[in-house]
C-alpha cells in the first residue's frame, strides 16, 4: 500500500520513526511533510495528504502535528477524507472497521513513539466491515455533498 505522510515542525522526529515503521511493514511512504525545524503551518500538510488520498495517488494517509487535531481538521476539509485523531489503538482499529477512515492523525506532543507504532499498526491492519457501517459512512459523505 502507498501511504502519504504529512507533519508540521513539532512532529519531524515522530514522522521519521513512523515512516520507518510503516516501511518495515512493506508499505511505500510518500513524505509530504516538512523536515524544517522552523515554525510552519500544519494546514498545508494536512491538505497535501488529504489531496493525495482523495485523488488516489496514495491509498491512505497519516498526519502528525502537536495534538493531531489541527492537521486532521485540515485533512478533513478535503472532499472524500475521513481523518480520525487517535491516542490509542482501539479507536484507530474501529475508525477503520466502522468509519472507513482513510487518514490517521495523532499528536507528537500527546503520545510517544511506541504508542504511535501500536496505533499505526492497529489502523493499517484493520479493514472496513461494510454492512450497517457502510450506510452510516455514506450518510457522512452525503453531509459533505450538501
Amino acid at each position: 500500500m502507498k501511504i502519504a505522510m504529512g507533519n508540521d515542525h513539532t512532529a519531524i522526529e515522530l514522522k521519521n520513526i513512523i515512516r520507518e515503521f510503516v516501511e518495515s511493514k512493506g508499505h511505500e511512504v510518500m513524505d509530504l511533510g516538512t523536515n524544517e525545524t522552523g515554525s510552519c503551518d500544519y494546514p498545508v500538510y494536512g491538505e497535501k495528504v488529504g489531496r493525495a488520498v482523495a485523488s488516489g495517488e496514495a491509498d491512505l494517509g497519516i498526519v502528525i502535528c502537536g495534538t493531531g487535531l489541527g492537521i486532521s481538521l485540515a485533512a478533513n476539509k478535503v472532499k472524500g477524507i475521513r481523518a480520525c485523531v487517535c491516542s490509542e489503538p482501539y479507536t484507530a482499529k474501529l475508525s477503520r472497521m466502522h468509519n472507513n477512515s482513510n487518514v490517521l492523525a495523532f499528536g507528537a506532543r500527546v503520545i510517544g513513539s511506541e504508542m504511535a507504532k501500536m496505533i499505526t499498526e492497529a489502523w493499517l491492519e484493520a479493514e472496513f466491515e461494510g454492512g450497517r457501517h457502510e450506510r452510516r459512512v455514506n450518510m457522512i459523505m452525503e453531509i459533505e455533498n450538501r
Side-chain angles (χ1 to χ4, degrees), residues 12-105:
I12 295 167
E13 183 179 348
L14 186 56
K15 184 260 315 251
N16 289 330
I17 291 168
I18 296 304
R19 176 185 182 157
E20 185 178 303
F21 179 73
V22 168
E23 289 174 340
S24 78
K25 299 290 183 187
H27 303 290
E28 180 183 348
V29 173
M30 295 172 54
D31 186 347
L32 302 176
T34 188
N35 289 304
E36 301 294 323
T37 57
S39 182
C40 65
D41 299 321
Y42 58 80
V44 170
Y45 304 102
E47 181 181 8
K48 282 183 181 186
V49 170
R51 294 209 181 281
V53 173
S55 72
E57 186 180 359
D59 300 301
L60 297 170
I62 299 173
V63 293
I64 315 168
C65 66
T67 64
L69 266 177
I71 201 165
S72 73
L73 291 172
N76 272 321
K77 294 298 180 182
V78 176
K79 186 174 181 159
I81 296 304
R82 291 172 304 282
C84 60
V85 182
C86 299
S87 296
E88 39 70 34
Y90 183 71
T91 300
K93 177 181 175 179
L94 288 185
S95 79
R96 291 274 293 144
M97 293 173 65
H98 294 184
N99 310 116
N100 201 15
S101 64
N102 51 13
V103 174
L104 172 65

Coordinates of all heavy atoms in Angstrom, one line a residue, residues 12-105:
I12 N 8.5 16.2 13.3 CA 9.5 15.7 12.4 C 10.1 14.4 12.9 O 10.1 13.4 12.2 CB 10.6 16.7 12.2 CG1 10.1 17.9 11.5 CG2 11.8 16.1 11.4 CD1 11.0 19.1 11.5
E13 N 10.5 14.3 14.2 CA 11.1 13.1 14.7 C 10.1 12.0 14.7 O 10.4 10.9 14.3 CB 11.6 13.4 16.1 CG 12.3 12.2 16.8 CD 12.8 12.5 18.2 OE1 12.8 13.6 18.6 OE2 13.2 11.5 18.8
L14 N 8.9 12.2 15.2 CA 7.9 11.1 15.2 C 7.5 10.7 13.8 O 7.3 9.5 13.5 CB 6.6 11.5 16.0 CG 5.6 10.5 16.2 CD1 6.2 9.2 16.9 CD2 4.4 11.0 17.0
K15 N 7.4 11.6 12.9 CA 7.1 11.3 11.5 C 8.2 10.3 10.9 O 7.9 9.3 10.3 CB 7.0 12.5 10.6 CG 6.7 12.3 9.1 CD 7.8 12.2 8.1 CE 8.8 13.3 8.2 NZ 8.8 14.3 7.2
N16 N 9.5 10.6 11.2 CA 10.5 9.7 10.7 C 10.5 8.4 11.3 O 10.8 7.4 10.7 CB 11.9 10.4 10.9 CG 12.1 11.6 10.0 OD1 11.5 11.6 8.9 ND2 12.8 12.6 10.4
I17 N 10.2 8.3 12.6 CA 10.0 7.0 13.3 C 8.9 6.2 12.7 O 9.0 5.0 12.4 CB 9.8 7.2 14.8 CG1 11.1 7.7 15.4 CG2 9.4 5.9 15.5 CD1 10.9 8.2 16.9
I18 N 7.7 6.8 12.5 CA 6.6 6.1 11.9 C 6.8 5.8 10.5 O 6.4 4.7 10.0 CB 5.3 7.0 12.1 CG1 5.0 7.1 13.6 CG2 4.1 6.3 11.4 CD1 4.9 5.8 14.4
R19 N 7.5 6.7 9.7 CA 7.8 6.4 8.3 C 8.6 5.1 8.2 O 8.3 4.1 7.5 CB 8.6 7.5 7.7 CG 9.0 7.2 6.3 CD 9.9 8.3 5.7 NE 10.2 7.9 4.3 CZ 10.6 8.7 3.4 NH1 10.7 10.0 3.7 NH2 10.8 8.3 2.2
E20 N 9.6 5.0 9.1 CA 10.5 3.7 9.1 C 9.7 2.5 9.5 O 9.8 1.5 8.9 CB 11.6 4.0 10.1 CG 12.6 2.8 10.1 CD 13.8 3.1 11.0 OE1 14.5 4.1 10.8 OE2 14.0 2.3 11.9
F21 N 8.8 2.7 10.5 CA 7.9 1.6 10.9 C 7.0 1.1 9.8 O 6.8 -0.1 9.6 CB 7.1 2.1 12.1 CG 6.2 1.0 12.7 CD1 6.6 -0.1 13.4 CD2 4.8 1.1 12.5 CE1 5.8 -1.0 13.9 CE2 3.9 0.2 13.0 CZ 4.4 -0.9 13.7
V22 N 6.3 2.1 9.1 CA 5.4 1.8 8.0 C 6.2 1.1 6.9 O 5.7 0.1 6.3 CB 4.7 3.0 7.6 CG1 3.9 2.8 6.3 CG2 3.7 3.5 8.6
E23 N 7.3 1.6 6.6 CA 8.1 0.9 5.5 C 8.6 -0.5 5.9 O 8.6 -1.4 5.1 CB 9.3 1.8 5.2 CG 9.0 3.1 4.4 CD 10.1 4.0 4.2 OE1 11.2 3.9 5.0 OE2 10.0 4.9 3.3
S24 N 8.8 -0.7 7.2 CA 9.2 -2.0 7.7 C 8.1 -3.0 7.5 O 8.3 -4.2 7.5 CB 9.7 -2.0 9.1 OG 8.6 -1.9 10.0
K25 N 6.9 -2.5 7.4 CA 5.7 -3.4 7.3 C 5.4 -3.6 5.8 O 4.4 -4.3 5.4 CB 4.5 -2.7 7.9 CG 4.6 -2.5 9.4 CD 4.5 -3.9 10.1 CE 4.5 -3.7 11.6 NZ 4.7 -5.0 12.3
G26 N 6.3 -3.1 4.9 CA 6.2 -3.4 3.5 C 5.4 -2.4 2.7 O 5.1 -2.6 1.5
H27 N 5.1 -1.2 3.3 CA 4.3 -0.2 2.6 C 5.3 0.9 2.0 O 6.4 1.1 2.6 CB 3.3 0.5 3.6 CG 2.4 -0.5 4.2 ND1 1.4 -1.1 3.5 CD2 2.3 -0.9 5.5 CE1 0.7 -1.9 4.3 NE2 1.2 -1.8 5.5
E28 N 4.8 1.5 1.0 CA 5.6 2.6 0.4 C 5.1 3.9 1.0 O 3.9 4.1 1.3 CB 5.3 2.7 -1.1 CG 6.0 3.8 -1.8 CD 5.7 3.9 -3.3 OE1 5.0 2.9 -3.8 OE2 6.0 4.9 -3.9
V29 N 6.0 4.8 1.3 CA 5.6 6.1 2.0 C 5.9 7.3 1.1 O 7.0 7.4 0.5 CB 6.4 6.3 3.3 CG1 6.1 7.6 3.9 CG2 5.9 5.2 4.3
M30 N 4.9 8.1 0.9 CA 5.1 9.4 0.3 C 5.3 10.5 1.4 O 4.3 10.7 2.2 CB 3.9 9.8 -0.5 CG 3.6 9.0 -1.7 SD 1.9 9.5 -2.4 CE 2.2 11.2 -2.7
D31 N 6.4 11.1 1.5 CA 6.7 12.1 2.6 C 6.3 13.4 2.1 O 7.0 14.0 1.3 CB 8.1 12.0 3.0 CG 8.4 12.9 4.2 OD1 7.5 13.8 4.6 OD2 9.5 12.8 4.8
L32 N 5.1 13.9 2.5 CA 4.6 15.2 2.1 C 4.7 16.3 3.2 O 4.2 17.4 3.1 CB 3.1 15.1 1.7 CG 2.9 14.1 0.6 CD1 1.4 14.0 0.3 CD2 3.6 14.5 -0.7
G33 N 5.5 15.9 4.3 CA 5.6 16.8 5.4 C 6.9 17.6 5.4 O 7.6 17.5 4.4
T34 N 7.0 18.4 6.4 CA 8.2 19.3 6.5 C 9.3 18.5 7.2 O 9.1 17.6 8.0 CB 7.9 20.6 7.2 OG1 9.1 21.4 7.1 CG2 7.6 20.4 8.7
N35 N 10.5 18.9 6.9 CA 11.7 18.4 7.6 C 12.5 19.6 8.1 O 13.6 19.5 8.6 CB 12.6 17.6 6.7 CG 12.0 16.2 6.4 OD1 11.7 15.5 7.3 ND2 11.8 15.9 5.1
E36 N 11.9 20.8 8.0 CA 12.4 22.0 8.6 C 12.0 22.3 10.0 O 10.8 22.2 10.3 CB 12.0 23.2 7.7 CG 12.4 23.1 6.2 CD 13.9 23.1 6.0 OE1 14.6 23.9 6.8 OE2 14.4 22.4 5.2
T37 N 12.9 22.6 10.9 CA 12.5 22.7 12.3 C 11.9 24.1 12.6 O 11.3 24.2 13.7 CB 13.7 22.5 13.2 OG1 14.8 23.5 12.8 CG2 14.3 21.1 13.1
G38 N 11.9 25.0 11.7 CA 11.3 26.3 12.0 C 9.7 26.2 11.9 O 9.2 25.3 11.3
S39 N 9.1 27.0 12.7 CA 7.6 27.0 12.7 C 7.0 27.1 11.3 O 7.4 27.8 10.5 CB 7.1 28.2 13.5 OG 5.7 28.2 13.7
C40 N 6.0 26.2 11.1 CA 5.3 26.2 9.9 C 3.8 25.9 10.1 O 3.4 25.8 11.3 CB 5.9 25.1 9.0 SG 5.6 23.4 9.6
D41 N 3.0 25.9 9.1 CA 1.6 25.9 9.2 C 1.1 24.5 8.9 O 1.1 24.0 7.7 CB 0.9 26.9 8.2 CG 1.3 28.3 8.6 OD1 1.4 28.6 9.8 OD2 1.6 29.1 7.6
Y42 N 0.6 23.8 9.9 CA 0.1 22.4 9.8 C -1.1 22.3 8.7 O -1.1 21.2 8.1 CB -0.4 21.9 11.1 CG -1.5 22.7 11.8 CD1 -2.8 22.5 11.4 CD2 -1.1 23.6 12.8 CE1 -3.8 23.3 12.0 CE2 -2.1 24.3 13.4 CZ -3.4 24.2 13.0 OH -4.4 24.9 13.6
P43 N -1.9 23.3 8.5 CA -3.0 23.0 7.5 C -2.4 22.7 6.1 O -3.0 21.9 5.3 CB -3.7 24.4 7.4 CG -3.6 24.9 8.8 CD -2.1 24.6 9.1
V44 N -1.3 23.2 5.7 CA -0.6 23.0 4.4 C -0.4 21.5 4.3 O -0.7 20.9 3.2 CB 0.7 23.7 4.3 CG1 1.5 23.3 3.1 CG2 0.5 25.2 4.3
Y45 N 0.1 20.8 5.3 CA 0.4 19.4 5.2 C -0.8 18.5 5.4 O -0.8 17.4 4.8 CB 1.5 19.1 6.3 CG 2.7 20.0 6.0 CD1 2.9 21.1 6.9 CD2 3.6 19.9 5.0 CE1 4.0 22.0 6.6 CE2 4.6 20.7 4.7 CZ 4.8 21.8 5.5 OH 5.8 22.7 5.3
G46 N -1.7 18.9 6.2 CA -3.0 18.2 6.2 C -3.7 18.1 4.9 O -4.2 17.1 4.4
E47 N -3.7 19.3 4.2 CA -4.3 19.3 2.9 C -3.6 18.5 1.9 O -4.2 17.8 1.1 CB -4.4 20.8 2.4 CG -5.1 20.9 1.1 CD -5.2 22.3 0.5 OE1 -4.6 23.2 1.1 OE2 -5.9 22.4 -0.5
K48 N -2.2 18.6 1.9 CA -1.4 17.8 1.0 C -1.7 16.3 1.1 O -1.9 15.6 0.0 CB 0.1 18.0 1.2 CG 0.6 19.3 0.7 CD 2.1 19.4 0.9 CE 2.7 20.7 0.4 NZ 4.1 20.8 0.4
V49 N -1.8 15.8 2.3 CA -2.1 14.4 2.5 C -3.5 14.1 2.1 O -3.8 13.1 1.4 CB -1.8 14.0 3.9 CG1 -2.3 12.6 4.2 CG2 -0.3 14.1 4.2
G50 N -4.4 14.9 2.5 CA -5.8 14.7 2.1 C -6.0 14.7 0.6 O -6.7 13.8 0.1
R51 N -5.4 15.6 -0.1 CA -5.5 15.6 -1.6 C -4.8 14.3 -2.2 O -5.3 13.8 -3.2 CB -4.9 16.9 -2.2 CG -5.7 18.1 -1.8 CD -5.7 19.2 -2.7 NE -6.5 20.3 -2.2 CZ -7.8 20.4 -2.3 NH1 -8.5 19.4 -2.8 NH2 -8.5 21.5 -1.8
A52 N -3.7 13.9 -1.7 CA -3.1 12.7 -2.2 C -4.0 11.5 -2.0 O -4.1 10.6 -2.9 CB -1.7 12.5 -1.5
V53 N -4.6 11.4 -0.9 CA -5.5 10.2 -0.6 C -6.8 10.4 -1.5 O -7.2 9.4 -2.2 CB -5.8 10.1 0.9 CG1 -6.9 9.0 1.1 CG2 -4.6 9.8 1.7
A54 N -7.4 11.5 -1.5 CA -8.6 11.7 -2.2 C -8.5 11.5 -3.7 O -9.4 11.0 -4.4 CB -9.2 13.1 -2.0
S55 N -7.3 11.8 -4.3 CA -7.0 11.7 -5.7 C -6.7 10.3 -6.1 O -6.6 9.9 -7.3 CB -5.9 12.6 -6.1 OG -4.7 12.2 -5.6
G56 N -6.3 9.4 -5.1 CA -5.9 8.1 -5.4 C -4.4 7.9 -5.5 O -3.9 6.8 -5.8
E57 N -3.7 9.0 -5.4 CA -2.2 9.0 -5.5 C -1.7 8.2 -4.4 O -0.6 7.5 -4.5 CB -1.7 10.4 -5.5 CG -0.2 10.5 -5.7 CD 0.3 11.9 -5.7 OE1 -0.5 12.9 -5.5 OE2 1.5 12.1 -5.8
A58 N -2.3 8.2 -3.2 CA -2.0 7.4 -2.1 C -3.2 6.6 -1.7 O -4.3 7.0 -1.9 CB -1.5 8.2 -0.9
D59 N -3.0 5.4 -1.1 CA -4.1 4.6 -0.6 C -4.7 5.1 0.7 O -5.9 5.1 0.9 CB -3.7 3.2 -0.4 CG -3.2 2.6 -1.7 OD1 -4.0 2.5 -2.7 OD2 -2.0 2.1 -1.8
L60 N -3.8 5.5 1.6 CA -4.2 6.0 2.9 C -3.2 7.1 3.3 O -2.2 7.3 2.7 CB -4.1 4.9 4.0 CG -5.0 3.7 3.8 CD1 -4.6 2.6 4.8 CD2 -6.5 4.1 4.0
G61 N -3.5 7.8 4.4 CA -2.6 8.9 4.9 C -2.5 8.9 6.4 O -3.3 8.4 7.1
I62 N -1.3 9.4 6.8 CA -1.0 9.6 8.2 C -0.5 11.0 8.4 O 0.4 11.5 7.7 CB 0.0 8.6 8.7 CG1 -0.4 7.2 8.6 CG2 0.4 8.9 10.2 CD1 0.6 6.1 8.9
V63 N -1.2 11.8 9.3 CA -0.8 13.2 9.6 C -0.5 13.3 11.1 O -1.1 12.8 11.9 CB -1.9 14.2 9.1 CG1 -2.0 14.1 7.6 CG2 -3.2 13.9 9.7
I64 N 0.6 14.2 11.3 CA 1.0 14.3 12.7 C 1.4 15.8 12.9 O 2.1 16.4 12.2 CB 2.3 13.5 13.0 CG1 2.2 12.1 12.5 CG2 2.6 13.5 14.5 CD1 3.5 11.3 12.5
C65 N 0.8 16.4 14.0 CA 1.2 17.7 14.4 C 1.3 17.6 16.0 O 1.5 16.5 16.5 CB 0.2 18.8 14.0 SG -1.5 18.7 14.7
G66 N 1.2 18.7 16.7 CA 1.4 18.7 18.1 C 0.4 17.8 18.8 O 0.7 17.0 19.6
T67 N -0.9 18.0 18.5 CA -2.0 17.2 19.1 C -2.7 16.3 18.1 O -3.4 15.4 18.5 CB -3.1 18.2 19.6 OG1 -3.7 18.9 18.5 CG2 -2.6 19.1 20.6
G68 N -2.5 16.5 16.8 CA -3.1 15.7 15.8 C -4.4 16.3 15.4 O -5.0 16.0 14.3
L69 N -4.9 17.3 16.2 CA -6.2 17.9 15.9 C -6.2 18.8 14.7 O -7.0 18.7 13.8 CB -6.7 18.6 17.1 CG -7.7 17.9 18.0 CD1 -8.1 18.7 19.2 CD2 -8.9 17.4 17.3
G70 N -5.3 19.8 14.7 CA -5.3 20.8 13.7 C -5.1 20.2 12.3 O -5.8 20.6 11.4
I71 N -4.1 19.4 12.2 CA -3.8 18.8 10.9 C -4.9 17.9 10.4 O -5.1 17.8 9.2 CB -2.4 18.1 11.0 CG1 -1.8 18.0 9.6 CG2 -2.4 16.8 11.8 CD1 -0.3 17.6 9.6
S72 N -5.6 17.2 11.4 CA -6.7 16.4 10.9 C -7.9 17.2 10.5 O -8.6 16.8 9.5 CB -7.2 15.4 12.1 OG -7.9 16.2 13.1
L73 N -8.1 18.4 11.1 CA -9.2 19.3 10.6 C -8.9 19.7 9.2 O -9.8 19.8 8.4 CB -9.3 20.5 11.6 CG -9.8 20.2 13.0 CD1 -9.7 21.4 13.9 CD2 -11.2 19.7 12.9
A74 N -7.6 20.0 8.9 CA -7.3 20.5 7.6 C -7.5 19.3 6.6 O -8.1 19.5 5.5 CB -5.8 20.9 7.5
A75 N -7.1 18.1 6.9 CA -7.2 17.0 6.0 C -8.7 16.7 5.8 O -9.2 16.4 4.7 CB -6.6 15.7 6.6
N76 N -9.5 16.8 6.8 CA -11.0 16.6 6.7 C -11.7 17.6 5.8 O -12.8 17.3 5.4 CB -11.6 16.5 8.1 CG -11.6 15.1 8.7 OD1 -11.8 14.2 8.0 ND2 -11.3 15.1 10.0
K77 N -11.1 18.7 5.5 CA -11.7 19.7 4.6 C -11.6 19.3 3.2 O -12.3 19.8 2.3 CB -11.1 21.1 4.8 CG -11.3 21.7 6.2 CD -12.8 21.9 6.4 CE -13.0 22.6 7.7 NZ -14.5 22.8 8.0
V78 N -10.8 18.3 2.9 CA -10.7 17.8 1.5 C -11.8 16.8 1.3 O -12.0 15.8 2.1 CB -9.3 17.1 1.3 CG1 -9.2 16.5 -0.1 CG2 -8.2 18.1 1.5
K79 N -12.6 17.0 0.2 CA -13.7 16.1 -0.1 C -13.2 14.6 -0.2 O -12.3 14.3 -0.9 CB -14.4 16.5 -1.4 CG -15.6 15.8 -1.7 CD -16.4 16.3 -2.9 CE -17.6 15.5 -3.1 NZ -18.6 16.3 -3.9
G80 N -13.9 13.8 0.5 CA -13.6 12.3 0.5 C -12.7 11.9 1.6 O -12.5 10.7 1.7
I81 N -12.3 12.8 2.5 CA -11.4 12.4 3.5 C -12.2 12.2 4.8 O -13.0 13.0 5.2 CB -10.3 13.4 3.7 CG1 -9.4 13.5 2.5 CG2 -9.4 13.1 5.0 CD1 -8.8 12.2 2.0
R82 N -11.8 11.1 5.5 CA -12.3 10.8 6.8 C -11.1 10.6 7.7 O -10.6 9.5 7.9 CB -13.2 9.6 6.8 CG -14.6 9.8 6.0 CD -15.4 8.5 5.8 NE -14.6 7.5 5.2 CZ -14.4 7.5 3.8 NH1 -14.8 8.4 3.0 NH2 -13.7 6.5 3.3
A83 N -10.6 11.7 8.3 CA -9.5 11.6 9.2 C -9.9 11.5 10.6 O -10.9 12.1 11.0 CB -8.6 12.9 9.0
C84 N -9.2 10.7 11.3 CA -9.5 10.4 12.7 C -8.3 10.7 13.6 O -7.2 10.3 13.2 CB -10.0 9.0 13.0 SG -8.8 7.8 12.5
V85 N -8.5 11.3 14.7 CA -7.4 11.5 15.7 C -7.4 10.4 16.7 O -8.5 10.2 17.3 CB -7.5 12.9 16.4 CG1 -6.3 13.1 17.4 CG2 -7.6 14.0 15.4
C86 N -6.3 9.7 16.9 CA -6.3 8.5 17.8 C -5.1 8.6 18.8 O -4.0 9.0 18.3 CB -6.2 7.2 17.0 SG -7.6 7.0 15.9
S87 N -5.4 8.3 20.0 CA -4.4 8.3 21.0 C -4.2 6.9 21.6 O -3.4 6.8 22.5 CB -4.8 9.3 22.2 OG -4.8 10.6 21.7
E88 N -4.9 6.0 21.1 CA -4.7 4.6 21.5 C -5.2 3.7 20.3 O -5.9 4.1 19.5 CB -5.4 4.3 22.8 CG -6.8 4.9 23.0 CD -7.9 4.4 22.1 OE1 -7.9 3.2 21.8 OE2 -8.8 5.1 21.7
P89 N -4.8 2.4 20.3 CA -5.0 1.5 19.2 C -6.5 1.1 19.0 O -6.9 0.9 17.8 CB -4.2 0.3 19.5 CG -3.2 0.7 20.5 CD -3.8 1.8 21.3
Y90 N -7.3 1.0 20.0 CA -8.7 0.5 19.9 C -9.5 1.5 19.0 O -10.2 1.1 18.1 CB -9.3 0.4 21.2 CG -10.7 -0.1 21.2 CD1 -11.0 -1.5 20.8 CD2 -11.8 0.7 21.5 CE1 -12.3 -2.0 20.7 CE2 -13.1 0.2 21.4 CZ -13.3 -1.1 21.0 OH -14.6 -1.6 21.0
T91 N -9.4 2.8 19.2 CA -10.1 3.8 18.4 C -9.6 3.7 17.0 O -10.4 3.8 16.0 CB -9.9 5.2 19.0 OG1 -10.5 5.2 20.3 CG2 -10.7 6.2 18.2
A92 N -8.3 3.6 16.8 CA -7.7 3.5 15.5 C -8.3 2.3 14.7 O -8.7 2.5 13.5 CB -6.2 3.4 15.5
K93 N -8.3 1.2 15.3 CA -8.9 0.0 14.7 C -10.3 0.2 14.3 O -10.7 -0.1 13.2 CB -8.7 -1.2 15.7 CG -9.3 -2.5 15.2 CD -9.1 -3.6 16.2 CE -9.8 -4.9 15.8 NZ -9.6 -5.9 16.8
L94 N -11.1 0.7 15.3 CA -12.6 0.8 15.0 C -12.8 2.0 14.0 O -13.8 1.9 13.2 CB -13.3 1.1 16.3 CG -13.5 -0.2 17.2 CD1 -14.4 0.2 18.4 CD2 -14.0 -1.4 16.4
S95 N -11.9 2.9 13.9 CA -12.1 4.0 12.9 C -12.0 3.4 11.5 O -12.7 4.0 10.6 CB -11.1 5.1 13.1 OG -9.8 4.8 12.6
R96 N -11.2 2.4 11.3 CA -11.2 1.8 10.0 C -12.3 0.8 9.8 O -13.0 0.8 8.8 CB -9.9 1.0 9.9 CG -8.6 1.8 9.8 CD -8.3 2.3 8.4 NE -7.9 1.2 7.6 CZ -8.2 1.1 6.3 NH1 -8.8 2.1 5.7 NH2 -7.8 0.1 5.6
M97 N -12.6 0.0 10.8 CA -13.7 -1.0 10.7 C -15.1 -0.4 10.6 O -15.9 -0.9 9.8 CB -13.6 -1.9 12.0 CG -12.3 -2.8 12.0 SD -12.2 -3.7 13.6 CE -13.6 -4.8 13.4
H98 N -15.4 0.6 11.3 CA -16.7 1.2 11.3 C -16.9 2.5 10.5 O -18.0 2.7 10.0 CB -17.1 1.4 12.8 CG -17.3 0.2 13.6 ND1 -17.8 0.2 14.9 CD2 -17.0 -1.1 13.3 CE1 -17.8 -1.0 15.4 NE2 -17.4 -1.8 14.4
N99 N -15.8 3.3 10.5 CA -15.9 4.6 9.8 C -15.2 4.7 8.5 O -15.2 5.7 7.9 CB -15.4 5.7 10.8 CG -16.1 5.6 12.1 OD1 -15.4 5.4 13.1 ND2 -17.4 5.8 12.2
N100 N -14.5 3.6 8.2 CA -13.7 3.6 6.9 C -12.7 4.8 6.8 O -12.6 5.4 5.8 CB -14.6 3.5 5.7 CG -13.8 2.9 4.5 OD1 -12.8 2.3 4.6 ND2 -14.4 3.1 3.3
S101 N -12.1 5.1 8.0 CA -11.2 6.3 8.0 C -10.1 6.0 7.0 O -9.6 4.9 6.8 CB -10.6 6.5 9.4 OG -9.8 5.4 9.8
N102 N -9.7 7.1 6.3 CA -8.6 6.9 5.3 C -7.4 7.8 5.6 O -6.4 7.8 4.9 CB -9.1 7.2 3.9 CG -9.9 8.5 3.7 OD1 -9.9 9.3 4.6 ND2 -10.6 8.6 2.6
V103 N -7.5 8.6 6.7 CA -6.3 9.3 7.2 C -6.3 9.2 8.7 O -7.3 9.4 9.4 CB -6.4 10.8 6.8 CG1 -5.3 11.6 7.5 CG2 -6.4 11.0 5.3
L104 N -5.2 8.8 9.2 CA -4.9 8.6 10.7 C -4.1 9.9 11.1 O -3.2 10.3 10.5 CB -4.1 7.4 10.9 CG -3.6 7.2 12.4 CD1 -4.7 7.0 13.3 CD2 -2.6 6.0 12.4
A105 N -4.5 10.4 12.3 CA -3.8 11.5 12.9 C -3.5 11.2 14.3 O -4.3 10.6 15.0 CB -4.7 12.8 12.8

